[in-house]
Amino acid sequence: MKPILEITELTKSYGRLTAVDALSMTIKPGEAVAFIGQNGAGKSTTMRAVAGLASIDTGSIRICGHDIASEPVEARQHFGYVSQDLDLYNYLTGEEFLMLVAQIRGCAPGDSESEIQALLELCDLNDARKRLIREYSGGMARKIAMAGALVGSPDLVILDESFVGLDPESTYRIGKFLKSYVAQGRAILISSHILDMLHAMCNRFFILHHGRCVADYSLNELDELCHSPETPDITAVYLQKTGQAGLIRADKAF
């Protein structure tokens, strides 16, 4: 089974700060990968590099076999991306935005119409389809961006803190859809500080700390760790693996 995403020895620095330090990871079809780490751990930098929006110092990134640096057009045909800081076409309606994405991805008109309808319903935006995106609330803007990332059913969907500001109903509905999306042989890479949501949605957990991988667990491995008295949940596992177990002990003192 060929990997969807291959990151090899990725390094990115900003002056003296090394944001990502010789990071390697592979994502295969059927994997929903949680990208976990504190602010500044290197998650967004890595995701932007995968999307071809940030240069890298050394290393390589391949998406479905295409190098993002030397074959950007071919690589971009295989992924959808939602950045932490949304950058949308505010003077298009939600429906127009999704139609534009479908055209760029070369979707057949007949197929794209039904798919756009389904995505608008998934994101509870059907009633707002004719409204300008500039009139959307923050949560609505995030949902239309996520719908855009899913148009054309790309092999890889990259979601950087995309669930921030979403209501519980939308979080549940979209999370359930993403699980079925991955079950069809695609993949997602998602970062969030909502660790319980990631635990429910993902089947692999990649922990970054100071730009380096400190853990890469399957769901079964994580669940085994969560049965330990020292690490009863995913948050405790994360704190222990990033050298912050003292926070767990301090919490037990109260």
Side-chain angles (χ1 to χ4, degrees), residues 24-172:
S24 295
M25 70 182 301
T26 299
I27 299 179
K28 297 178 180 179
E31 290 191 319
V33 181
F35 224 14
I36 303 172
Q38 64 189 151
N39 295 335
K43 305 185 303 298
S44 292
T45 297
T46 301
M47 289 175 148
R48 284 179 54 79
V50 171
L53 299 176
S55 62
I56 62 176
D57 300 332
T58 59
S60 65
I61 300 169
R62 299 182 71 84
I63 301 170
C64 293
H66 300 286
D67 187 280
I68 190 64
S70 61
E71 302 173 278
V73 175
E74 293 83 357
R76 285 191 172 100
Q77 293 174 352
H78 295 279
F79 72 85
Y81 168 64
V82 180
S83 65
Q84 186 172 5
D85 300 317
L86 297 180
D87 187 12
L88 298 169
Y89 294 92
N90 288 324
Y91 288 92
L92 293 180
T93 67
E95 183 178 48
E96 289 170 340
F97 170 68
L98 297 183
M99 290 174 63
L100 174 63
V101 175
Q103 291 172 7
I104 292 171
R105 292 195 175 144
C107 301
D111 295 337
S112 62
E113 289 176 9
S114 58
E115 184 181 26
I116 286 170
Q117 178 63 39
L119 289 170
L120 286 168
E121 291 176 0
L122 170 70
C123 296
D124 195 26
L125 292 172
N126 198 41
D127 291 343
R129 64 191 302 158
K130 301 294 185 183
R131 287 172 55 187
L132 295 176
I133 292 176
R134 70 189 298 265
E135 298 172 358
Y136 282 12
S137 67
M140 292 169 69
R142 289 208 170 272
K143 288 190 287 186
I144 200 66
M146 292 174 77
L150 290 163
V151 169
S153 301
D155 296 293
L156 173 67
V157 177
I158 307 163
L159 303 173
D160 189 3
E161 295 291 346
S162 299
F163 282 83
V164 173
L166 264 60
D167 55 79
E169 295 85 354
S170 294
T171 297
Y172 174 79

